[in-house]
């Protein structure tokens, strides 16, 4: 059973539709016990990082840590990826899961001497895909995916792919069973479905 965590942060329906289209058995939950006994966990999200405070309030943060520790595959989408880090400058008082070091930051107002529009919305390409990535298996560098976000995670040792917009940022992150994507695979056509399929097959 794939537990899809509901913390009232948008795009839940479209993620469920994509997973169900691929034949996954899904269950929407706010229960720590469900998360602890999940076979896989998906954390979707759109909007303000402050929404992730509900994960702490409902004791889902600790339940997620316990599930991850026993090897349960975890996929965070958009704000769900950002939550894997220490936090975000969008909501300084709300901690993330702290699985990956560093904080997410807003796109700069200008880049290379020109104004940079934010949010970053639309199709952009995946670059520097890590060859050992299980989540991105079979996805070629240059493949396009769909974004809509104003904050981003920096590039680090666990970055599985990057995208260029106002400089390089982490498009996907992966360490063992913990994975996240800043883009929306459920809105990214065949490439997005391939990525979700890879996750389902873990």
């Amino acid at each position: 059973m794939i537990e899809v965590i509901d913390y009232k942060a948008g795009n839940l329906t479209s993620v469920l539709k994509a997973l169900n289209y691929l034949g996954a058995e899904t269950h929407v939950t706010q229960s720590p016990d469900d998360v602890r006994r999940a076979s896989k966990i998906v954390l979707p999200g759109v909007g303000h990082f402050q929404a992730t405070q509900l994960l702490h309030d409902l004791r889902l943060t600790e339940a997620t840590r316990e599930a991850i520790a026993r090897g349960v595959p975890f996929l965070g989408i958009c704000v769900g990826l950002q939550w894997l880090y220490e936090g975000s400058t969008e909501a300084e008082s709300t901690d993330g899961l702290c699985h990956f070091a560093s904080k997410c930051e807003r796109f700069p107002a200008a880049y290379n001497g020109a104004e940079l529009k934010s949010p970053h919305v639309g199709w952009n390409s995946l670059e520097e895909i890590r060859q050992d990535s299980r989540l991105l298996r079979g996805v070629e560098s240059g493949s396009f995916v769909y974004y809509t976000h104003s904050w981003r995670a920096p590039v680090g040792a666990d970055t599985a792919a990057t995208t260029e917009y106002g400089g390089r940022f982490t498009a996907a992150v992966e360490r063992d069973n913990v994975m996240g994507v800043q883009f929306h695979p459920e809105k990214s056509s065949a490439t997005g479905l391939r990525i979700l399929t890879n996750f389902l097959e873990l």
Side-chain angles (χ1 to χ4, degrees):
M1 177 67 69
I2 298 176
E3 296 293 343
V4 182
I5 298 176
D6 178 14
Y7 61 108
K8 308 303 180 187
N11 89 318
L12 186 68
T13 301
S14 57
V15 170
L16 287 170
K17 284 182 178 178
L19 291 172
N20 293 334
Y21 172 79
L22 294 170
E25 186 178 1
T26 58
H27 178 243
V28 178
T29 188
Q30 293 184 335
S31 164
D33 290 337
D34 287 345
V35 170
R36 288 188 182 94
R37 58 177 171 254
S39 61
K40 291 183 175 70
I41 302 167
V42 174
L43 183 70
V46 170
H48 203 285
F49 191 82
Q50 180 65 43
T52 65
Q53 179 61 44
L54 186 61
L55 298 171
H56 302 300
D57 296 344
L58 296 177
R59 304 190 309 280
L60 290 165
T61 301
E62 189 54 40
T64 298
R65 288 196 180 107
E66 291 176 21
I68 286 171
R70 67 177 180 86
V72 174
F74 178 100
L75 177 63
I77 297 173
C78 194
V79 175
L81 169 139
Q82 295 173 13
W83 183 69
L84 292 172
Y85 289 80
E86 295 171 3
S88 171
T89 59
E90 187 176 25
E92 294 280 11
S93 63
T94 300
D95 292 332
L97 186 67
C98 300
H99 192 81
F100 299 113
S102 70
K103 279 195 171 187
C104 298
E105 296 186 344
R106 189 178 177 88
F107 284 104
Y111 183 70
N112 283 345
E115 180 185 358
L116 186 72
K117 292 183 178 180
S118 183
H120 169 221
V121 177
W123 296 86
N124 207 337
S125 60
L126 297 175
E127 306 295 344
E128 302 176 299
I129 295 177
R130 252 176 39 207
Q131 293 302 306
D132 66 343
S133 171
R134 294 186 295 163
L135 184 65
L136 302 178
R137 179 174 50 85
V139 177
E140 296 182 1
S141 288
S143 297
F144 279 80
V145 290
Y146 188 82
Y147 286 96
T148 174
H149 63 123
S150 297
W151 271 258
R152 61 185 181 179
V155 176
D158 297 299
T159 296
T162 64
T163 290
E164 178 75 29
Y165 187 78
R168 291 162 62 242
F169 66 88
T170 289
V173 66
E174 178 175 347
R175 185 200 300 160
D176 300 324
N177 55 313
V178 179
M179 307 167 185
V181 291
Q182 180 60 66
F183 54 90
H184 290 276
E186 76 281 6
K187 297 181 180 179
S188 296
S189 192
T191 296
L193 291 177
R194 175 58 189 262
I195 291 167
L196 290 176
T197 298
N198 287 344
F199 179 73
L200 295 177
E201 291 178 348
L202 292 174

